[in-house]
Amino acid sequence: MKKLLVLMLAPFLFVGVLSCKSSGVTTSENYTVSADEVKAIVSFLASDELKGRDTGSEGIHTAATYIENEFKALGIKPYFDNYRDTFKMQGVDAFNVVGYIEGSDPSLKDEFIIIGAHYDHIGEIAAVEGDVIANGANDNAAGTSAVLTLAKYFANRNTKRSLLFVAFTAEEKGLLGSKHLANRLKGTGFNLYTMFNLEMIGVPLNNTEHQAFLTGYDYSNLAAVMNNYAGKKLIGSSEVAKKYSLFKRSDNYPFYETFKVPAHTVSSCDLTNFDYYHHVHDEIDKLDYTFMANLINALAPVIEKTANATTKEIELHEN
């Protein structure tokens, strides 16, 4: 989320101090993500060596290569000619990383679900106690870890609809990566059913019965459908999200604007439960990895049921 709060994603397994090699993961139909696995991904993306993953920096190139290697290891194909959806930002190359699993149903595979999160952050900022690196563990290595582990979950499953896994760049610059990709896909006649954007899922909410909230809760029936699929109150609303218009401040919004379909951000972080937004102390040790794993494991079958529903159950509300 630009400026006020960000709700989104973070990449795969930490192999060595700074290795871009794939983790060599294997998958099974019984796969569930572990807290250690999520922590390993966040630890790589939010390490000091990546220097805050500012768009155009060497650190974000390293992060992108890491994500690409994870997709390759999982057998997830690029959607375009390669994994990088590249565009120019202020004279430098910027790139989303896009992986693709084709649906299995001849009549539904042309409908897509996007599972995304931004993997960029804000780089180096004013020093606090001698530290200048805004590591972006919660914002949004956390969300990116969800995208990668969900990709692993779906790698050996067949879903009726096709899935697009996206790590967005330049979210912190004004949602530039998601705007670029939304426009590019729209120009090809891309058929988007819905989008799940993941941001700042690294800490649990305070005093709620639900595990996460949905930005733009009232814009569609997505939360109700998710809770029905989950068989519990997985998703709620947030007064903070409404107050600060967080629906419009993360990478879901360009897809909502461009495609006019339900496109929301899932987050567990509001302004009451995390003190380090755009701060050098947004570091690995501030996150609750057991909570994160539990949330991702709850989201996975919900997204799977969304991808396999024979009719479009998710619809926009009139606003």
Side-chain angles (χ1 to χ4, degrees):
M1 241 140 263
K2 188 168 184 295
K3 300 289 185 193
L4 291 170
L5 228 183
V6 187
L7 313 165
M8 225 145 110
L9 306 77
F12 234 123
L13 289 176
F14 184 54
V15 263
V17 177
L18 189 62
S19 170
C20 294
K21 294 180 180 179
S22 162
S23 53
V25 296
T26 57
T27 60
S28 73
E29 291 186 2
N30 297 320
Y31 168 71
T32 56
V33 65
S34 69
D36 287 344
E37 185 175 12
V38 175
K39 185 176 182 179
I41 297 167
V42 174
S43 295
F44 181 84
L45 294 174
S47 63
D48 281 352
E49 287 83 358
L50 268 63
K51 297 187 183 299
R53 307 185 309 281
D54 196 8
T55 300
S57 70
E58 182 178 344
I60 203 165
H61 278 262
T62 301
T65 301
Y66 176 69
I67 297 167
E68 290 173 334
N69 286 340
E70 291 304 324
F71 285 159
K72 290 175 187 176
L74 292 168
I76 293 174
K77 301 174 183 177
Y79 183 70
F80 302 111
D81 291 338
N82 56 60
Y83 291 105
R84 297 195 183 191
D85 168 42
T86 303
F87 60 98
K88 288 291 184 182
M89 187 203 73
Q90 298 174 352
V92 301
D93 284 338
F95 31 82
N96 305 309
V97 184
V98 186
Y100 165 54
I101 297 178
E102 184 178 10
S104 61
D105 187 284
S107 62
L108 292 177
K109 68 180 183 179
D110 290 335
E111 296 178 9
F112 280 79
I113 294 171
I114 293 177
I115 302 164
H118 74 96
Y119 73 111
D120 67 305
H121 197 45
I122 58 174
E124 296 183 345
I125 59 176
V128 176
E129 299 171 355
D131 187 359
V132 298
I133 299 172
N135 299 78
N138 197 22
D139 182 13
N140 188 33
T144 308
S145 72
V147 170
L148 288 171
T149 48
L150 287 167
K152 185 176 179 181
Y153 176 88
F154 284 105
N156 277 350
R157 283 173 159 79
N158 291 321
T159 58
K160 295 179 186 299
R161 292 180 174 84
S162 296
L163 305 176
L164 217 61
F165 297 91
V166 186
F168 294 106
T169 195
E171 189 268 2
E172 301 286 3
K173 308 295 186 185
L175 315 182
L176 299 184
S178 51
K179 289 177 182 177
H180 168 78
L181 182 59
N183 288 329
R184 181 178 183 181
L185 292 174
K186 183 69 173 179
T188 67
F190 186 82
N191 185 0
L192 179 61
Y193 174 31
T194 193
M195 179 195 188
F196 297 89
N197 187 50
L198 297 141
E199 182 150 13
M200 294 181 75
I201 60 166
V203 293
L205 289 161
N206 294 324
N207 304 315
T208 65
E209 61 177 332
H210 49 270
Q211 287 178 262
F213 63 86
L214 204 67
T215 65
Y217 183 92
D218 297 323
Y219 281 69
S220 79
N221 67 340
L222 178 59
V225 172
M226 291 177 72
N227 288 336
N228 181 51
Y229 286 164
K232 63 178 181 178
K233 187 68 179 291
L234 174 64
I235 299 295
S237 62
S238 166
E239 292 305 312
V240 172
K242 293 177 183 178
K243 179 179 179 180
Y244 293 111
S245 299
L246 298 187
F247 179 66
K248 299 180 180 181
R249 295 182 180 273
S250 194
D251 289 318
N252 62 286
Y253 190 63
F255 290 90
Y256 168 78
E257 276 200 311
T258 302
F259 288 91
K260 303 303 181 188
V261 300
H264 298 264
T265 290
V266 176
S267 179
S268 66
C269 182
D270 61 22
L271 299 180
T272 68
N273 64 338
F274 192 71
D275 295 330
Y276 305 113
Y277 172 67
H278 283 189
H279 194 288
V280 296
H281 289 164
D282 181 5
E283 301 216 48
I284 297 158
D285 62 354
K286 303 298 190 299
L287 304 194
D288 183 334
Y289 296 100
T290 298
F291 166 79
M292 290 172 64
N294 288 339
L295 176 59
I296 295 165
N297 286 326
L299 289 171
V302 168
I303 298 172
E304 187 170 15
K305 289 177 181 178
T306 305
N308 286 325
T310 55
T311 60
K312 290 185 175 181
E313 299 181 15
I314 302 165
E315 300 174 333
L316 287 177
H317 291 156
E318 292 186 11
N319 285 289

